[in-house]
Amino acid sequence: MQKLHGWASQAEQLWEQVLAKPIDVERVVIVDNGTREVRAGIFVAQALNHANHHREQVCAILTGLGIEPPDIQAWEFAWATGRIWERK
């Protein structure tokens, strides 16, 4: 568990650095040992999409075990963390 926590902390720091400045989504990145080129924006899109798959897998497992999964929508996160509020 400690190892997983360390990896998650590193990933968090990396994403904070990447997302702290504008991303040139059209920049070409060389991947797969130099055999392919891809636009940088695809990495961001894939990361978001991939994370959604894992969240849904966890929810499906919890449901299969008879456990009500938490609301994992971004809106719920915003309410829970004070990132959205009613206007006065």
Side-chain angles (χ1 to χ4, degrees):
M1 190 63 142
Q2 185 71 17
K3 194 174 194 178
L4 180 60
H5 184 268
W7 180 87
S9 294
Q10 289 177 344
E12 176 185 14
Q13 291 172 11
L14 177 62
W15 276 109
E16 284 180 359
Q17 290 172 8
V18 168
L19 298 174
K21 52 190 176 275
I23 298 172
D24 178 5
V25 297
E26 295 301 322
R27 181 172 61 94
V28 174
V29 179
I30 300 170
V31 296
D32 295 336
N33 294 319
T35 62
R36 294 186 175 93
E37 296 180 350
V38 62
R39 303 282 178 194
I42 295 302
F43 283 102
V44 176
Q46 177 58 26
L48 295 171
N49 183 59
H50 189 78
N52 285 335
H53 284 292
H54 284 298
R55 283 189 288 276
E56 289 303 321
Q57 288 170 335
V58 169
C59 287
I61 291 167
L62 290 173
T63 300
L65 293 171
I67 300 169
E68 178 72 26
D71 187 344
I72 58 172
Q73 296 181 73
W75 292 116
E76 181 58 30
F77 174 77
W79 282 112
T81 59
R83 288 174 168 80
I84 190 173
W85 53 89
E86 299 289 341
R87 288 190 71 191
K88 295 181 180 180

